[in-house]
Amino acid sequence: MLPSIWNWLVSKGGRKSQRAKKKRLGTKRRAPLLVEPLEDRTLPTVTWINPAGGDWDTGTNWSTGVRPAATDDVVISQAVTITHASAIADSINSLTANLATLNLSAGSLAIMSAIASPIKNLTLAGGALSGAGDLQVTGGLSVTGFVTLNQITLENQGVATLTSPGGSSPTIFLPSGARIVNDVGAVWDMQTDTFVEAADASATSFSNAGTVQKTANTGTAHLLVPFTNTNTVLVEAGTLSLADGGSSTGSFNIAAGTTLSIDAGTFAFTGVSGVGGIAVNGGTADFSTLSPITVGSLTVTGGTLTGSDTIDVTGATTWTGGAMTGLGTTSADGTLTLGDNLYLARTLACNGPTLWALSSAELFQASGAFTFATGATSTTPGLSASMTVTDLNGNDPAQAGDTLQYTVTITNNGTTTAQNLVFTDTLDPNTTLIPDSVTYPATAAATVVTAADLANIVTAATARWHDAGISAGQ
């Protein structure tokens, strides 16, 4: 144990002597540290200082003495009305105006930051809003003129009204991926002829989680932008036109005397009701809600009506162009008016009077069924046709040199005889009609229809067949 004690004593004594040495020599002073302030890299805040409101581009209305710039965060804390009426392009980083009203009628305002920029009230009579920002209107939004939303998101959280005090239709133009969002609890009220229109092929959109409604005017509100509905759409006056596709997991209610029109694009519905009408003039209207749909009237002039739902039409059904397809049924309880060259690939149930608009009306029945309820009548003959193709060589797909047999069935769905019928079929350009191969009826004992019988109207591209008439129901 002594060696350990000795070592400790020597070490202890050594430290003590060192302290004493330092005491004799004195302690050196260190140079003082210089602390410099860090550079302020926060964006400047510019505030509105005129309690009476005024013009955005008047410098004395702002705390800096000049109008805000692209790097400025703008704060308007007063309940004032600010106008932007000059043709000046302004840019700011962000906007906070929880009590203020901004009236934009000319020029442009760009909000560059993607963070939310709240404002209480916004009136758009002209000009443009742009930038990557999300402008949230918490109180009232009024659109009365032609305005462009370039890239920006316009988010309505209160009540938006679209009116035409000057007689011109309010129009919102959406280029560069701009979006309109109608939040939960918000109302987007189109009270006149309006246009919400995509300006280019970018991913513009209009999404509704609140209520979108067409009210107060017999004109048409046009949504020429993909429209997504997850809550409620009310057609209470005039016509609501969907002209760029979209989808709905919410509801559409069509009031009496109004019309929901599908004019372009593909729109998928999951809930439609009301005593008003549906019009399909172009594009595709897909009704696949897994439950029946009842509407007051149906008009199809073009495009395609499809889906698995039964569409019960209590009033008039007018079908003069386009197609009806899908697994569902179109049930015409009122007067059914049919035009020419119609394509049917679903069930069309005629439960009331049927009017064939043209004496040469034709309906091509690819699949599905054309049915008449007991007591239903038809004032003029109407024809439907279906075709099957069989490869007599047994190949699938067909091979070069095979013989294809086309069987066409023409049915008179009316209650009177169809006279002087003409059947026309355009042949595939890769096929050649075999002479004397056309027979009528299509049975083993059928009469061969020769070129002479066809009165020399068989050409390389078209085969036509004449018949004196088909009685009703045949």
Side-chain angles (χ1 to χ4, degrees):
M1 297 299 292
L2 287 177
S4 297
I5 294 174
W6 173 255
N7 289 337
W8 180 84
L9 290 175
V10 172
S11 177
K12 182 76 173 177
R15 287 198 295 269
K16 184 176 181 180
S17 62
Q18 289 292 329
R19 286 198 299 269
K21 184 177 181 180
K22 287 182 179 180
K23 187 174 182 181
R24 291 191 303 268
L25 296 176
T27 302
K28 293 183 178 180
R29 293 185 178 181
R30 295 181 178 179
L33 296 177
L34 178 61
V35 179
E36 296 181 355
L38 295 176
E39 179 184 354
D40 185 4
R41 296 186 180 181
T42 60
L43 293 177
T45 298
V46 178
T47 60
W48 181 270
I49 60 174
N50 186 349
D55 184 76
W56 181 284
D57 291 308
T58 300
T60 55
N61 288 330
W62 300 99
S63 59
T64 57
V66 295
R67 60 189 176 93
T71 57
D72 293 335
D73 290 319
V74 173
V75 176
I76 306 170
S77 57
Q78 303 101 317
V80 294
T81 298
I82 301 172
T83 60
H84 195 294
S86 58
I88 296 177
D90 288 297
S91 296
I92 60 175
N93 184 63
S94 69
L95 174 65
T96 302
N98 292 315
L99 301 176
T101 297
L102 174 62
N103 295 336
L104 177 67
S105 59
S108 63
L109 176 63
I111 301 177
M112 310 308 295
S113 175
I115 64 174
S117 290
I119 186 170
K120 184 176 181 181
N121 300 309
L122 176 64
T123 297
L124 300 175
L129 293 171
S130 63
D134 177 4
L135 184 59
Q136 298 177 337
V137 185
T138 60
L141 169 63
S142 175
V143 182
T144 61
F146 186 98
V147 63
T148 298
L149 303 181
N150 191 343
Q151 184 185 5
I152 198 169
T153 296
L154 178 61
E155 186 173 351
N156 177 44
Q157 298 181 341
V159 177
T161 57
L162 286 77
T163 59
S164 54
S168 298
S169 300
T171 300
I172 303 177
F173 208 47
L174 305 176
S176 304
R179 299 189 307 138
I180 295 175
V181 178
N182 196 51
D183 280 348
V184 174
V187 176
W188 185 276
D189 187 8
M190 297 170 286
Q191 299 182 6
T192 184
D193 292 356
T194 60
F195 295 85
V196 179
E197 184 173 355
D200 51 34
S202 61
T204 58
S205 64
F206 184 170
S207 60
N208 172 50
T211 299
V212 168
Q213 58 191 33
K214 169 67 175 69
T215 64
N217 185 280
T218 58
T220 301
H222 303 265
L223 298 185
L224 298 142
V225 61
F227 177 64
T228 302
N229 172 51
T230 58
N231 201 329
T232 303
V233 176
L234 303 175
V235 186
E236 298 182 343
T239 299
L240 174 62
S241 168
L242 305 177
D244 200 3
S247 63
S248 173
T249 56
S251 64
F252 278 75
N253 187 273
I254 313 166
T258 69
T259 302
L260 173 63
S261 181
I262 297 87
D263 297 311
T266 297
F267 202 96
F269 295 90
T270 58
V272 178
S273 62
V275 294
I278 291 177
V280 181
N281 301 311
T284 299
D286 186 347
F287 299 94
S288 298
T289 68
L290 303 180
S291 60
I293 292 173
T294 300
V295 294
S297 64
L298 173 65
T299 301
V300 181
T301 63
T304 301
L305 182 151
T306 190
S308 59
D309 290 343
T310 293
I311 302 175
D312 188 12
V313 187
T314 60
T317 298
T318 303
W319 184 16
T320 57
M324 292 191 187
T325 67
L327 301 177
T329 297
T330 301
S331 181
D333 297 340
T335 299
L336 170 64
T337 302
L338 298 175
D340 197 14
N341 295 320
L342 307 177
Y343 182 88
L344 179 66
R346 69 188 276 123
T347 297
L348 176 58
C350 307
N351 302 323
T354 300
L355 305 175
W356 297 88
L358 301 173
S359 60
S360 61
E362 298 180 30
L363 182 120
F364 185 84
Q365 183 177 325
S367 59
F370 189 98
T371 65
F372 275 84
T374 301
T377 61
S378 175
T379 59
T380 56
L383 305 177
S384 63
S386 61
M387 176 186 292
T388 60
V389 181
T390 304
D391 188 324
L392 298 183
N393 298 91
N395 294 321
D396 185 14
Q399 305 296 317
D402 288 357
T403 299
L404 304 180
Q405 177 179 283
Y406 288 74
T407 301
V408 178
T409 302
I410 302 173
T411 304
N412 181 357
N413 299 292
T415 55
T416 60
T417 300
Q419 301 287 346
N420 300 317
L421 307 180
V422 176
F423 162 71
T424 302
D425 178 46
T426 300
L427 303 180
D428 188 295
N430 298 309
T431 64
T432 302
L433 180 66
I434 299 175
D436 300 336
S437 64
V438 180
T439 62
Y440 170 75
T443 63
T447 301
V448 174
V449 182
T450 65
D453 296 323
L454 293 174
N456 297 320
I457 58 174
V458 174
T459 67
T462 303
R464 304 181 67 187
W465 163 75
H466 283 254
D467 184 68
I470 299 180
S471 299
Q474 296 184 352

